[in-house]
Amino acid sequence: MPRGQPPVTTPSATKRDLRTAVLAARRALGDASTGFDAALAERLPELISPDAAVTVCAYVPMTGEPGGPELPGRLAATPGVARVLLPVLLPDLDLDWAGYDGPDSLVPAARGLREPTGQRTGVTGITFADLVLVPAVAVDRRGVRLGRGGGSYDRALARVTGDTPVIALLYDGELVDEVPAQAHDQRVGGVLLPSGLRRIPG
């Protein structure tokens, strides 16, 4: 998997090429990704005190995305987690949030997503979180996150208070030297990898 930025001339091309390279590497993992997803699940307790009762905003991974399709259930079963909120993509590409109530509460949605059917909290639902887990294609050592290009998470993360941990889930090799940063990009405070948690100094 890539460990640095591709040799291109503009930030948009750099982001595009890096995204293409990482997504191709993920597809090449094939069935091996199942083991990496299980390893990520085993690392979830590193983020949460078992004596806590936290609300976690997370996501439902798409095919080939770190965490795997069982991530919401594994997270809900993690000691210390009281509530899991999952995103609902709005027509303007902002994110609403609703509670996870088991796999039967998820339904197919636009763009290949699966979304919860429960009562929605509104776009400010992410402000209720004690911990935010986000998808990413790559993250650099400054915390700059590369997403899929829609801007949904940059809008949502702008609402998170400064003391709420924001952690991206990645496969090993996707914590890279540099992701081109733009003014609207929201940074993360760490990445969870199959090999362990890496905090990013603020």
Side-chain angles (χ1 to χ4, degrees):
M1 290 188 182
R3 292 187 176 276
Q5 66 184 68
V8 291
T9 56
T10 67
S12 60
T14 302
K15 282 190 173 185
R16 182 170 57 249
D17 288 359
L18 179 56
R19 186 180 293 115
T20 298
V22 174
L23 294 179
R26 286 182 179 177
R27 287 191 296 272
L29 288 174
D31 292 341
S33 63
T34 302
F36 295 133
D37 293 334
L40 278 169
E42 291 176 0
R43 297 286 186 183
L44 291 173
E46 297 180 26
L47 303 173
I48 301 154
S49 169
D51 300 325
V54 301
T55 294
V56 182
C57 277
Y59 62 101
V60 185
M62 296 190 292
T63 300
E65 201 165 43
E70 297 179 354
L71 176 65
R74 286 169 162 168
L75 184 58
T78 300
V81 175
R83 186 185 188 198
V84 177
L85 295 176
L86 299 174
V88 177
L89 186 66
L90 297 174
D92 66 355
L93 301 185
D94 208 341
L95 297 178
D96 202 337
W97 301 87
Y100 173 71
D101 295 316
D104 292 341
S105 69
L106 300 177
V107 297
R111 298 174 179 244
L113 300 172
R114 289 185 299 144
E115 296 179 342
T117 57
Q119 183 176 359
R120 298 184 187 183
T121 65
V123 296
T124 58
I126 197 170
T127 66
F128 304 149
D130 303 292
L131 169 68
V132 179
L133 301 182
V134 296
V137 175
V139 172
D140 75 13
R141 301 181 192 282
R142 302 166 297 167
V144 178
R145 171 187 167 273
L146 177 67
R148 290 183 178 262
S152 300
Y153 275 92
D154 287 320
R155 293 171 69 177
L157 292 177
R159 302 182 179 107
V160 177
T161 58
D163 57 351
T164 301
V166 177
I167 306 293
L169 271 61
L170 298 175
Y171 293 137
D172 290 310
E174 296 175 355
L175 177 61
V176 301
D177 291 330
E178 185 176 358
V179 171
Q182 295 174 287
H184 64 272
D185 290 334
Q186 298 294 313
R187 303 192 182 198
V188 301
V191 299
L192 188 66
L193 305 163
S195 60
L197 176 64
R198 305 286 188 272
R199 297 283 185 183
I200 294 172

